[in-house]
Amino acid sequence: MRAYGKFVLILPMEGKDTTESGIYLPNGIGDVKNHGTVVSIGPDCQQYSQDASQSMRLKVGDKVIHGQAIKFPNGGKDYLIVKEDDILVIL
């Protein structure tokens, strides 16, 4: 499975079931709902380069925080499709 155009395919992080103080959070909606790992980068996205001026480009395996996404299941896992511009932070 590969991303197309200026889109990024992300595997979302699992949410926590409880807070540090022990409060139960239904459906794992903890503090990681917009966090994920980049699985695939579309061919039209700005790719990672060794050039220092472009060192903040995405690459597969990056942990990111993203904005709006489209969720879809595939092979028993849920994935997200995000526009490259909706990637807010590379962790």
Side-chain angles (χ1 to χ4, degrees):
M1 183 169 46
R2 293 180 292 170
Y4 182 76
K6 288 191 142 240
F7 292 92
V8 179
L9 184 65
I10 295 177
L11 181 62
M13 288 185 178
E14 295 292 323
K16 297 178 184 178
D17 289 334
T18 58
T19 64
E20 290 182 19
S21 62
I23 297 173
Y24 175 73
L25 299 170
N27 299 326
I29 61 168
D31 59 355
V32 294
K33 70 179 186 176
N34 285 359
H35 289 59
T37 304
V38 175
V39 175
S40 176
I41 302 168
D44 295 336
C45 291
Q46 297 176 355
Q47 296 291 318
Y48 176 77
S49 171
Q50 294 298 332
D51 181 6
S53 66
Q54 296 188 14
S55 63
M56 288 301 292
R57 303 296 183 215
L58 284 175
K59 59 185 180 294
V60 173
D62 278 347
K63 305 279 191 239
V64 296
I65 298 175
H66 58 84
Q68 187 174 8
I70 299 170
K71 181 179 176 181
F72 72 97
N74 186 22
K77 294 183 181 180
D78 288 333
Y79 291 90
L80 301 172
I81 300 172
V82 179
K83 288 182 183 178
E84 179 188 25
D85 294 339
D86 285 337
I87 301 293
L88 305 174
V89 177
I90 299 173
L91 300 172

